[in-house]
Structures are given as C-alpha cells and as structure tokens.
C-alpha cells in the first residue's frame, strides 16, 4: 500500500472516530480510564526527563558563556526559552510518542488480532469511536498540562543544577527567567502540544486498528507507529514554527 | 430463521463465495463444515454483516439485511450473539464487566438489574463466583463459557459460533457443544456454527452445510451424513480411520 493510500485511510478512520458516542456513561468511563493510562502514567517519565534536560541545558549554556561581556542571567533566559520553545512541547511529545504510542498500538492491535474488535462490531458498536475517541480527548486534555509541567520542571532543574555545580548564581538565573517574558510563547507551546497530542493519539491508533496477523505484526506495527508519529511531529514542528514564529 | 440466497463474495480476483443458498431454522443448531479455504469464515462473517456480499441476499426472519435502514441494522446486531474462536473476551474487563458490556451499551437498566442478569447467564453456563476474575485467569473452557454467556445476555434471536471447540480437550468440547444445543432449544435461537470438529458434527449437527470451493457441496443432518455417497463429504468427514469405522458400524446396523 502506498503512502497516499495510508493517508486516505487515516482520514477515513477519523471520519468514523468523530461520531457521537453511543452511550455517554460508557464513554465517560472510557475517557477517565484513558486519562489514567495515557496521561497520569506518563507524569513520571516526563518529569524525570524534563528535570534533567533543564539541568543539562543550563550547565551547557553556563560552560559556553565565557565572555565577561555576556551577563550570567542569559543562562536562566536561555534555559527558559529552550524549555518553552522546543524541549517541552516537541521533545516531551516525542518521548510520549514512544511511551504512549507503542502502548496505544499494541493495545488496539492485540484487540484486533484476538477478534475483540470484531466482537465490538458484531454487537453493533462503532469500534473506532469507542476505542479511539476517548484516547484523543484524553490526550488533548492532559498533554498540554504535561507540557507545562515539563516547562516548569525543566526550568527548575536548570536552577538546581546551577546551585549544585556553582557554575552561576541563583539570583542571576532567577533574573534570567524573569527577563523579556513573551506570553505568546506560552500560546505557541500550547498550540504545539495540542497538535502533537492529536498526532500521538491518532497515528498509533491507526497502526493498531488496521494491523493484520499475530503478535509479531503487532510488535512491528508498534515500532512503525512510534517512527511515523515521531516523523510527523518533527515535520509539523517545523511547519508550526514557521507559521507561528516565522 | 435466516435465509441466504445466492451470495457471492470476492476479495480482489479471489472469488471466495460463488453463489450459496441456505436456510437456518429457529431452535436448531446448524453447522457449516468444509476444508480450510472453502469459504466457511467468509460465509459466517457475511451472515454477521462483517462482510457485504456483492451479489445475493441474506434475510433475517423475512427482513432482507441489505434493504434495512441503519437503525434496523443496529437493532439486528443487538439480536445477534457471537462466540468467537478465541473467545474474544475484553482483556481489560472482568468477567462481570465483559458480560455486562452489551447491556450497558444498549439497555437502560439499573446496576442491580444488570448484575442479576449477569449472574443468571453465568449460572446458565454453569459458572458461578467468577465475576471478579479477568479472562487471563480462566481456562480455555471457562473462557468459552463466559463468551457464550456474553453472547446470550441480550436474549439474541441468532447465535453464531466460530469454531467453539477449538483448543479444548474432547470432554470440555462436548460440554460446550451440549451447552450451545441446550441454549438453542431453550431460548429458541437460530444457531449457526462454523466447525472443523467432527464430534460436533455427529453430536449436534441438526443441519449440516458442507462447503467446497465457495459452493454448497452438500446439505443434510447428522443422521444423513452417515449415509451420504457424496465423495467430497465422505472424503472430508471420514478422513480418519476411526470415523470410517464408526460410519461402517452405523451403516451395518441400519442396513
């Protein structure tokens, strides 16, 4: 199947997904389950990575600012900008594409190969709507929060790294993060996180839903889903940046 | 009653069903048999509406499925129960939640009512006190019985089973066969079973449809299958020495 056919099939899938849920109470329960599986269970990894990446960014910036003409507050400023502009919305999404994307593909793919999706269809349930819509909503609701958590912890990690290594003064760093604050950048991070959340929920769902074969194919589909989700995030990141900041 | 008239189904150039006519009566267990690749699964999935035949019609108690509105099709789906080859129980749900799932989706009942119904069908399939267990904690036979319980929880008019004995030991297989037949009689369901198991054919095959190369090659009952001289049926059903001897004994006794 060529790429264009996959794209067409993906959009036809979305057409089935965006229908009114058949039973509101069942949909509500599924949504809370997905928020737990896709959102709450991702807090740990996002927090851990953001904290240390923030630390690394501040240390690297400090080590590269040798000129006495450049103020030390630049370290805090650079860490803040890096976290808001790129790390939190984009790289946290790529981490989530790996963690959550493989989970989504393998869980839906296993349902496909064990005929659980056929069972839903035989019961008269729109399986795409039942399985995928709660995942999309859970991701759209929760991932912006994760991104803001990543921004906060990254900046905090940068400050802790400075304090522990004595590469810069705490006050310089705090001055830096308060410097030249542009609220649009927060909006930019939010827009990117919402778009990437949609990609993280839908591309792995597509790969899982249309898998054919057995356990081996589910494994392959999970790998493909992570690769394609990451590729699409990187491409959209470029276009969104050009569109919003260019 | 399900009436199938001249259905055709192809996948690309591969013609899988080439014009099959059949009638499946209420309160009877009908079996579809045939070699792998004969079109059994496609035929069963066409009855279920998972595949749309290009030609021909399938009617359920006089209503032709392809002429039904979306609402009628939805209603028809709720009148169907299906037992899949691998049970197809939802891994993430407990036994109770699995069986309750169709009621939750389609009926507006209080939780206590739903629970009563779940316990009633579990009792009917001879399983009790396993409500909180998950499918992975059950044996193959128990999973099949839970799948049957889920299939009958909405009081279906039509029950479809795909290889219900697959992977079960002979004793459990007979228990499952008898259970399906009892339920069919008790609830007056139209039951269609896709099977490879010759024990099932002999035990519960009130009507047997033998498919070969996408066509109906033979039709009859478990009594008639002993006497048939259709070479394809004899070759398929009596392929083992044991069944050849059983057939010979039956023919000697009846002649």
């Amino acid at each position: 199947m060529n790429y264009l056919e996959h794209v067409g099939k993906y959009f036809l899938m979305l057409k089935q997904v965006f229908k009114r849920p058949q039973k509101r109470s069942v949909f509500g329960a599924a949504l809370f389950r997905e928020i737990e599986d896709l959102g709450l269970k991702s807090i740990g990894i996002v927090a851990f990575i953001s904290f240390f990446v923030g630390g690394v960014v501040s240390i690297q910036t400090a080590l590269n600012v040798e000129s006495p003409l450049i103020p030390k507050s630049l370290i805090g400023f650079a860490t803040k900008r890096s976290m808001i502009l790129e790390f939190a919305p984009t790289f946290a999404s790529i981490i989530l594409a790996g963690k959550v994307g493989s989970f989504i593909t393998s869980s839906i793919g296993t349902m496909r190969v064990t005929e659980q999706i056929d069972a839903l269809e035989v019961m008269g349930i729109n399986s795409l709507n039942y399985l995928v819509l709660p995942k999309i909503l859970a991701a759209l609701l929760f991932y912006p929060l994760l991104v803001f958590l990543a921004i906060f912890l990254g900046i905090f990690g940068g400050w802790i790294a400075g304090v522990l290594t004595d590469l810069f003064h705490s006050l310089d760093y705090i001055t830096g993060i308060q410097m030249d604050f542009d609220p649009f950048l927060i909006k930019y991070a939010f827009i990117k996180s919402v778009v990437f959340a949609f990609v993280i929920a839908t591309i792995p769902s597509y790969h899982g839903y249309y898998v054919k074969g057995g356990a081996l194919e589910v494994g392959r589909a999970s790998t493909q889903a992570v690769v394609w989700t990451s590729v699409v995030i990187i491409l959209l990141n470029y276009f969104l940046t050009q569109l919003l900041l260019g | 009653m399900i009436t199938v008239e001249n259905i055709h189904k192809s996948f690309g150039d591969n013609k899988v069903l080439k014009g099959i006519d059949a009638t499946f009566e209420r309160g009877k267990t009908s079996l579809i048999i045939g070699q792998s690749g004969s079109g059994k699964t496609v035929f069963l999935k066409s009855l279920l509406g998972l595949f749309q035949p290009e030609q021909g019609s399938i009617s359920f108690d006089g209503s032709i499925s392809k002429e039904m509105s979306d609402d009628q099709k939805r209603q028809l789906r709720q009148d169907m129960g299906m037992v899949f080859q691998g049970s197809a129980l939802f891994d993430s749900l407990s036994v109770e939640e699995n069986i309750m799932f169709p009621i939750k989706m389609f009926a507006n009942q209080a939780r206590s009512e739903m629970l009563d119904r779940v316990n009633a069908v579990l009792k009917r399939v001879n399983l009790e006190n396993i409500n909180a267990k998950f499918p992975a904690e059950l044996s193959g036979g128990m999973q099949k019985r839970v799948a049957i319980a889920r299939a009958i929880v909405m009081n279906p008019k039509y029950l479809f089973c795909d290889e219900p004995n697959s992977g079960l030991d002979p004793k459990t297989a007979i228990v499952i066969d008898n259970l399906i037949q009892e339920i069919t009689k008790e609830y007056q369901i139209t039951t269609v079973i896709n099977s490879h198991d010759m024990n099932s054919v002999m035990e519960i095959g009130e009507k047997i449809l033998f498919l070969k190369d996408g066509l109906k090659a033979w039709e009859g009952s478990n009594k008639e299958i002993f006497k048939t001289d259709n070479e394809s049926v004899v070759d398929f059903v009596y392929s083992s020495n044991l069944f050849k001897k059983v057939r010979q004994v039956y023919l000697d006794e009846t002649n």
Side-chain angles (χ1 to χ4, degrees):
Chain A
M1 199 188 278
N2 64 37
Y3 294 133
L4 211 57
E5 272 184 80
H6 278 294
V7 172
K9 208 168 158 188
Y10 169 79
F11 283 106
L12 286 174
M13 176 193 89
L14 292 182
K15 197 179 152 196
Q16 287 300 312
V17 169
F18 288 104
K19 293 209 165 157
R20 211 175 70 158
Q22 282 163 288
K23 196 74 179 270
R24 204 179 292 175
S25 57
V26 175
F27 178 76
L31 178 62
F32 282 109
R33 199 168 49 240
E34 297 300 350
I35 286 176
E36 188 191 348
D37 281 342
L38 309 185
L40 293 172
K41 288 182 180 170
S42 303
I43 289 177
I45 185 81
V46 170
F48 177 78
I49 293 175
S50 312
F51 182 83
F52 283 98
V53 167
V56 169
V57 168
S58 72
I59 290 170
Q60 285 183 350
T61 313
L63 291 172
N64 284 287
V65 176
E66 287 170 353
S67 167
L69 295 174
I70 301 173
K72 289 284 181 191
S73 58
L74 179 82
I75 299 162
F77 179 75
T79 307
K80 177 188 73 177
R81 282 283 169 114
S82 307
M83 295 311 293
I84 295 175
L85 288 173
E86 207 49 33
F87 175 77
T90 308
F91 289 96
S93 295
I94 287 178
I95 292 159
L96 288 171
K99 185 193 174 286
V100 175
S102 58
F103 170 74
I104 291 175
T105 306
S106 58
S107 59
I108 295 182
T110 304
M111 288 187 77
R112 166 62 74 198
V113 299
T114 56
E115 297 181 308
Q116 292 175 49
I117 290 178
D118 285 343
L120 287 170
E121 290 290 329
V122 169
M123 285 177 200
I125 294 163
N126 176 348
S127 57
L128 276 169
N129 173 270
Y130 173 73
L131 293 172
V132 183
L133 189 60
K135 287 179 175 51
I136 294 175
L137 283 186
L140 291 178
L141 288 171
F142 209 84
Y143 287 174
L145 299 177
L146 276 181
V147 165
F148 290 122
L149 178 75
I151 292 172
F152 173 76
L153 286 175
I155 295 170
F156 180 65
W159 177 67
I160 292 286
V163 169
L164 292 178
T165 56
D166 218 16
L167 279 169
F168 49 85
H169 294 295
S170 173
L171 204 63
D172 287 335
Y173 187 83
I174 292 166
T175 308
I177 60 176
Q178 289 173 335
M179 194 194 292
D180 198 16
F181 179 72
D182 183 357
F184 179 73
L185 297 185
I186 297 291
K187 210 184 280 179
Y188 166 76
F190 176 78
I191 292 168
K192 287 213 298 190
S193 66
V194 167
V195 172
F196 297 160
F198 185 81
V199 170
I200 292 167
T202 54
I203 292 181
S205 295
Y206 170 81
H207 281 276
Y209 192 82
Y210 293 107
V211 74
K212 278 180 186 159
L216 188 65
E217 282 75 15
V218 173
R220 280 192 187 130
S222 297
T223 310
Q224 274 191 324
V226 173
V227 170
W228 279 110
T229 308
S230 305
V231 167
V232 172
I233 286 174
I234 296 290
L235 287 175
L236 285 175
N237 184 41
Y238 173 79
F239 289 117
L240 283 172
T241 304
Q242 183 71 25
L243 199 70
L244 298 169
L245 300 180
Chain B
M1 190 166 84
I2 303 171
T3 311
V4 180
E5 283 178 17
N6 191 32
I7 61 165
H8 291 250
K9 178 70 189 168
S10 306
F11 295 94
D13 294 335
N14 182 21
K15 289 183 180 175
V16 182
L17 303 179
K18 300 168 185 168
I20 296 178
D21 295 290
T23 305
F24 302 108
E25 288 166 45
R26 200 167 161 230
K28 280 191 177 177
T29 46
S30 305
L31 271 82
I32 306 162
I33 60 170
Q35 284 183 324
S36 299
S38 59
K40 296 190 306 289
T41 303
V42 175
F43 183 70
L44 194 74
K45 288 194 170 177
S46 300
L47 295 182
L48 283 160
L50 293 176
F51 291 146
Q52 297 305 320
E54 291 106 22
Q55 202 183 317
S57 68
I58 301 166
S59 62
F60 295 84
D61 292 313
S63 305
I64 299 171
S65 62
K66 66 181 175 187
E67 291 172 4
M68 288 178 182
S69 65
D70 286 348
D71 281 343
Q72 285 172 316
K73 278 183 185 163
R74 214 167 290 130
Q75 182 56 49
L76 176 65
R77 287 279 170 92
Q78 288 168 37
D79 287 335
M80 290 176 173
M82 172 76 188
V83 179
F84 285 88
Q85 190 173 358
S87 300
L89 297 173
F90 304 125
D91 300 325
S92 57
L93 304 181
S94 67
V95 166
E96 183 180 293
E97 289 165 332
N98 258 287
I99 301 171
M100 204 182 269
F101 187 80
I103 320 178
K104 266 188 183 172
M105 283 305 283
F106 300 110
N108 287 315
Q109 290 185 4
R111 190 170 168 79
S112 58
E113 277 179 86
M114 290 196 275
L115 207 53
D116 287 346
R117 179 68 188 144
V118 168
N119 289 330
V121 288
L122 272 176
K123 197 174 173 188
R124 182 64 198 82
V125 297
N126 307 318
L127 286 174
E128 282 174 272
N129 303 321
I130 60 154
N131 296 40
K133 285 192 184 296
F134 280 83
E137 297 173 281
L138 305 176
S139 67
M142 286 166 97
Q143 286 186 12
K144 282 278 156 65
R145 281 191 272 174
V146 174
I148 294 171
R150 187 178 68 181
I152 63 169
V153 75
M154 295 289 281
N155 287 320
K157 290 182 185 168
Y158 317 101
L159 179 64
F160 301 94
C161 308
D162 188 17
E163 307 271 359
N165 295 333
S166 134
L168 300 180
D169 64 82
K171 200 173 171 186
T172 311
I174 290 170
V175 170
I176 297 294
D177 278 344
N178 291 337
L179 183 63
I180 292 170
Q181 193 169 39
E182 284 165 22
I183 286 167
T184 301
K185 302 282 174 218
E186 198 175 316
Y187 300 112
Q188 284 296 295
I189 305 173
T190 306
T191 299
V192 183
I193 304 168
N194 209 345
S195 185
H196 265 125
D197 186 15
M198 289 310 122
N199 280 322
S200 302
V201 174
M202 305 300 180
E203 286 282 330
I204 60 166
E206 291 175 273
K207 178 170 189 164
I208 300 160
L209 212 72
F210 177 73
L211 301 189
K212 192 183 177 194
D213 300 328
L215 289 165
K216 182 173 76 180
W218 184 84
E219 188 177 351
S221 69
N222 54 358
K223 304 282 182 289
E224 290 162 335
I225 207 164
F226 280 107
K227 298 174 196 165
T228 183
D229 52 7
N230 182 308
E231 275 183 34
S232 303
V233 177
V234 172
D235 190 40
F236 177 73
V237 178
Y238 305 106
S239 54
S240 78
N241 285 333
L242 176 67
F243 281 116
K244 273 182 194 143
K245 282 177 190 166
V246 170
R247 182 178 185 235
Q248 197 52 53
V249 170
Y250 179 85
L251 291 175
D252 291 344
E253 278 179 2
T254 48
N255 286 332

